[in-house]
Amino acid sequence: MTDSDSISGDFQGGGSNSHGSEMSPREHKQSLDFGNNCNQNSSEMVDKSRTGKVMNHIPDDLAFCVLSKLPLKSLKRFGCVCQTWSLLFENSHFMSKFRTNFISHCHSDYIDTSLLLYQIIQSHDHTQYCSFYSLSGHRYENRVKLDFPNPFQVENPRFYFFYCDTITGTICLKFENTIVLWKPTTHEFKVIPPSPVQSGSPYRESQVFCHGFGYDPIRDDIKIITFTTFEKIDSRALQHLGVRREDVPWNELPFEPLWEIYSLRCNSWKKLDFDMPVCWFDNWSYERLYTEGVCHWWSNSVNRENVLVSFDLRTEMFFTTAIPLEIAPDTDPSHNFLFVERRLAMLNGSIASILWYTTTFHISILGELGVKKSWTKLFVVGPLSNIERVVGTGKNGDIFFKTKDGKLVLLDLSTGIIEDMSFKGGHGYDVAIFKENHILMAGINF
């Protein structure tokens, strides 16, 4: 299936400029200057060195070739070198080259990895079943359904996929209020014990929201971050306990929400004595990431501003990065932006924000944690018809979508082509990069 079938739209990445408009005369001149062959300038430099002449500057077109291959953070910082370099993000030809380099070179995190696919099927009686698949190959053509044990006395338990740690090959799942760790490579499955605070009183019920999961390389440990809220149990539960409501010491019971962190190595929970912005969407990994010892999640609970919360598992401290709304200037002003949707993702090793409020998807990359201005919009995809939401990202420039009729489709950012992945009828999907690791989880603690 291509974008000419049930999905249609335009791909704007290396277009005229960042807004898809025609180039100005100034941009056109910059593009022509940039289009000169870098090898020619290199030869000129060699020739001059042979004649004893030393160049005291680097030609712009040669510099641009080098700059277009740099990470976004470095490129932002080099903008202070000279005025020409400070205007690189306004040069459509340079940005086209930068986008191409950004998605064409495979990040080291993706070497020897496969794709983990989580699928939810809903039956006619609204019963939901979940399945996991391992997808490998150049276009994910090799597919293996994964079987995982069921430690609960429930038929077809509905597990929510939280996240997958690519370093240890461990998957974090949630069933109701219970968190479990699953390692498909070694066939290990561990039910995480509840926090003592969570099960401290029979007169209150708790709701556990998973926020972070990942590997602490300093302590060789797997950690889980949760936010737990409490409410009074209802009259039916009190009746089941044989207790009258007026006999319960409600004023003596704590109901304040709390943050906790679990250590697999210690097999214990610890309270975090500070507050953090909350992500209320608990059942999907859409709003969460892990990279290089740091967990990230999206929150809009700070004065209604969108922020990226970053929790360092090594120091157990957090900081935030504001996320711009990035509304296109030609957007209908009557549009209700309360319904703007966003998906956090790793795009070729970089933190990305994929935002949509119509059928057009805006993809921005974060250059430096803690710096709002380092967000840079690199791609605009769409409009795409028959698309319901973004599912996630694969290797390089692959983005997965769920269609309105329950199909899973793949967009290749390098070509703009959309393919049908032959998964149909899904009530929900999620994807994550997966890397096999044969070291037993019991090596940490089990």
Side-chain angles (χ1 to χ4, degrees):
M1 173 177 144
T2 66
D3 55 349
S4 61
D5 295 325
S6 62
I7 298 178
S8 62
D10 296 323
F11 170 75
Q12 301 173 30
S16 301
N17 54 35
S18 59
H19 302 293
S21 59
E22 294 297 324
M23 289 190 292
S24 65
R26 177 186 179 185
E27 286 183 319
H28 184 67
K29 182 180 184 301
Q30 288 177 327
S31 298
L32 292 176
D33 292 339
F34 177 73
N36 293 332
N37 191 294
C38 296
N39 293 330
Q40 178 181 350
N41 281 275
S42 301
S43 301
E44 291 176 359
M45 292 178 67
V46 172
D47 292 341
K48 290 183 179 181
S49 64
R50 289 173 177 172
T51 59
K53 297 180 180 179
V54 179
M55 297 188 66
N56 59 4
H57 74 282
I58 302 175
D60 283 347
D61 48 358
L62 179 59
F64 288 175
C65 280
V66 175
L67 292 171
S68 67
K69 299 177 181 179
L70 291 178
L72 184 59
K73 178 180 178 179
S74 301
L75 185 59
K76 286 275 188 179
R77 291 185 171 183
F78 284 147
C80 65
V81 173
C82 62
Q83 184 179 10
T84 303
W85 290 12
S86 68
L87 299 175
L88 288 177
F89 291 95
E90 299 178 18
N91 186 323
S92 60
H93 195 78
F94 173 83
M95 289 306 296
S96 177
K97 184 69 174 178
F98 181 79
R99 294 184 188 99
T100 300
N101 289 332
F102 179 82
I103 59 178
S104 62
H105 297 92
C106 182
H107 193 272
S108 59
D109 288 350
Y110 301 141
I111 298 175
D112 297 327
T113 62
S114 59
L115 191 75
L116 180 73
L117 170 65
Y118 168 71
Q119 181 186 35
I120 297 176
I121 300 294
Q122 182 168 288
S123 62
H124 295 293
D125 62 355
H126 300 289
T127 302
Q128 295 183 351
Y129 307 90
C130 61
S131 300
F132 289 89
Y133 298 86
S134 173
L135 310 182
S136 60
H138 179 64
R139 301 313 297 161
Y140 313 102
E141 64 274 8
N142 304 319
R143 303 171 183 186
V144 177
K145 186 174 182 179
L146 303 178
D147 295 322
F148 59 95
N150 177 14
F152 304 102
Q153 302 301 316
V154 179
E155 184 179 0
N156 296 317
R158 166 68 155 81
F159 287 100
Y160 287 102
F161 171 66
F162 179 59
Y163 206 67
C164 175
D165 173 36
T166 57
I167 298 176
T168 63
T170 306
I171 300 169
C172 185
L173 307 171
K174 187 164 173 275
F175 172 66
E176 296 179 349
N177 255 5
T178 302
I179 301 172
V180 296
L181 299 181
W182 173 40
K183 193 163 184 177
T185 309
T186 58
H187 307 289
E188 294 173 284
F189 200 91
K190 178 176 175 60
V191 178
I192 304 300
S195 162
V197 178
Q198 178 186 341
S199 55
S201 172
Y203 303 124
R204 63 180 187 178
E205 57 183 10
S206 61
Q207 178 66 44
V208 179
F209 296 89
C210 291
H211 276 67
F213 165 70
Y215 178 68
D216 177 355
I218 301 299
R219 296 170 180 81
D220 185 28
D221 196 3
I222 293 176
K223 295 181 177 180
I224 304 170
I225 307 165
T226 62
F227 179 73
T228 305
T229 61
F230 302 94
E231 292 182 355
K232 297 178 180 179
I233 61 174
D234 58 23
S235 300
R236 181 178 298 180
L238 284 172
Q239 186 178 4
H240 180 73
L241 293 173
V243 179
R244 297 184 304 173
R245 179 170 292 275
E246 56 270 23
D247 293 335
V248 178
W250 299 112
N251 294 333
E252 300 177 11
L253 296 177
F255 289 93
E256 294 79 12
L258 58 88
W259 289 92
E260 293 180 290
I261 185 168
Y262 171 81
S263 164
L264 179 63
R265 176 168 291 281
C266 300
N267 194 30
S268 63
W269 290 89
K270 180 177 67 175
K271 181 182 178 182
L272 296 173
D273 294 320
F274 49 81
D275 195 19
M276 294 184 286
V278 178
C279 177
W280 294 107
F281 301 95
D282 179 61
N283 295 331
W284 300 92
S285 72
Y286 293 151
E287 318 299 337
R288 300 168 183 84
L289 297 174
Y290 167 84
T291 176
E292 299 179 348
V294 182
C295 299
H296 309 275
W297 62 86
W298 169 78
S299 175
N300 64 347
S301 58
V302 182
N303 299 322
R304 298 190 65 83
E305 182 181 29
N306 299 310
V307 295
L308 178 72
V309 185
S310 303
F311 185 95
D312 194 323
L313 294 174
R314 299 158 294 189
T315 63
E316 297 188 356
M317 300 297 292
F318 82 98
F319 54 94
T320 62
T321 308
I323 306 177
L325 192 56
E326 292 286 2
I327 301 300
D330 57 346
T331 302
D332 183 356
S334 64
H335 184 83
N336 188 349
F337 293 106
L338 292 176
F339 297 100
V340 170
E341 297 193 66
R342 188 188 300 274
R343 172 67 156 97
L344 285 179
M346 294 300 297
L347 190 61
N348 207 15
S350 296
I351 296 175
S353 168
I354 306 176
L355 177 148
W356 69 99
Y357 42 89
T358 57
T359 57
T360 299
F361 298 80
H362 304 259
I363 305 173
S364 298
I365 305 300
L366 179 62
E368 184 173 0
L369 286 170
V371 182
K372 179 179 180 179
K373 291 184 178 180
S374 69
W375 287 102
T376 302
K377 185 187 293 188
L378 287 188
F379 303 96
V380 178
V381 180
L384 303 178
S385 63
N386 199 35
I387 290 294
E388 181 177 298
R389 67 171 299 115
V390 176
V391 171
T393 55
K395 301 180 181 182
N396 296 358
D398 296 336
I399 302 180
F400 293 86
F401 296 88
K402 176 180 179 284
T403 66
K404 294 178 181 178
D405 54 355
K407 295 180 181 179
L408 181 70
V409 297
L410 166 66
L411 168 68
D412 186 339
L413 275 179
S414 62
T415 63
I417 297 176
I418 295 178
E419 304 175 32
D420 189 336
M421 295 297 294
S422 300
F423 286 92
K424 302 178 181 179
H427 179 72
Y429 297 97
D430 206 344
V431 294
I433 298 296
F434 177 76
K435 188 169 187 176
E436 291 188 352
N437 184 314
H438 293 274
I439 299 176
L440 292 175
M441 191 162 46
I444 296 179
N445 192 316
F446 191 67

